[in-house]
Amino acid sequence: MGKGVILYRSKYGATAKYAEWLAEETGFDIMQTKEASVEKLSCYDTIVLGGGVYASGIAGIGFLRKNLKQLQGKRLAVFCAGASPYEEKAFQELYAHNFKDGLKGIPCFYCRGAWNEAAMSLPDRTLCHLLMKSVEKKEPDALEPWERALVSAAGKSCDWTDRSYLEPLIDFLKNG
């Protein structure tokens, strides 16, 4: 696997939990993206970025985009944590939205995260309530998987994090 580092950006804790589990499994160092710099990453062969999924964006992906030229020659991978269950079509749309231009081709792995409205910031909670209102207007059998997950989690605190979601990423890191 070489010498590696896990960079992460976590808003509510699920991505941080995955980053810590991944560090335990790989022996990689761990660092938040706000502490990272190209200079600090120069000694690593492998860089794994982890970020939560918010409004179809992956938190922290801007760090890779901004520093891609300086990170050439490094082995890169991304994992993201979202509240929705995995669904291939939604994941492909997420990938297409986040991995444009030079980022295209970087492997990305999905981990299911958590949902806790009480812990959300006011803007996030407001956006989720607005989204919920639009979803509630649809017929239940017409809901997308992520919409069903949203409806079932509303008003609850849910934690779907599980180490097993990291297995494909660990496999990739060990075997290429």
Side-chain angles (χ1 to χ4, degrees):
M1 277 195 285
K3 186 173 180 183
V5 63
I6 301 153
L7 300 178
Y8 73 95
R9 184 163 170 202
S10 187
K11 206 170 188 181
Y12 298 112
T15 304
K17 186 188 291 189
Y18 281 116
E20 290 165 12
W21 286 341
L22 188 58
E24 289 172 14
E25 291 292 324
T26 61
F28 287 1
D29 293 337
I30 188 170
M31 179 185 318
Q32 291 186 48
T33 55
K34 65 183 176 187
E35 300 166 354
S37 68
V38 173
E39 295 77 29
K40 286 183 181 178
L41 301 179
S42 63
C43 64
Y44 296 102
D45 305 312
T46 301
I47 299 168
V48 178
L49 173 80
V53 176
Y54 306 103
S56 74
I58 299 173
I61 199 86
F63 180 86
L64 284 185
R65 189 171 287 112
K66 177 182 170 191
N67 297 296
L68 194 58
K69 284 185 181 171
Q70 296 93 321
L71 298 175
Q72 279 187 331
K74 307 283 185 189
R75 186 170 186 215
L76 303 174
V78 173
F79 73 88
C80 55
S84 297
Y86 180 84
E87 199 270 323
E88 183 64 25
K89 180 181 171 226
F91 180 75
Q92 291 305 321
E93 289 171 2
L94 177 74
Y95 189 91
H97 179 76
N98 287 277
F99 291 83
K100 297 175 183 156
D101 307 318
L103 298 182
K104 191 172 185 178
I106 295 174
C108 183
F109 302 86
Y110 187 82
C111 303
R112 192 152 188 212
W115 177 270
N116 183 351
E117 290 176 49
M120 290 181 189
S121 67
L122 180 60
D124 286 350
R125 197 168 44 250
T126 302
L127 286 172
C128 287
H129 284 286
L130 291 171
L131 184 58
M132 181 67 73
K133 285 184 185 272
S134 74
V135 168
E136 287 172 342
K137 293 176 184 175
K138 294 183 176 184
E139 291 295 321
D141 57 341
L143 296 178
E144 297 283 332
W146 69 268
E147 293 170 320
R148 282 193 290 282
L150 178 67
V151 169
S152 69
K156 300 176 195 167
S157 177
C158 304
D159 185 347
W160 301 286
T161 57
D162 189 311
R163 283 179 180 260
S164 67
Y165 287 117
L166 291 172
E167 289 171 7
L169 173 54
I170 293 166
D171 232 23
F172 168 79
L173 293 171
K174 287 182 179 175
N175 304 315

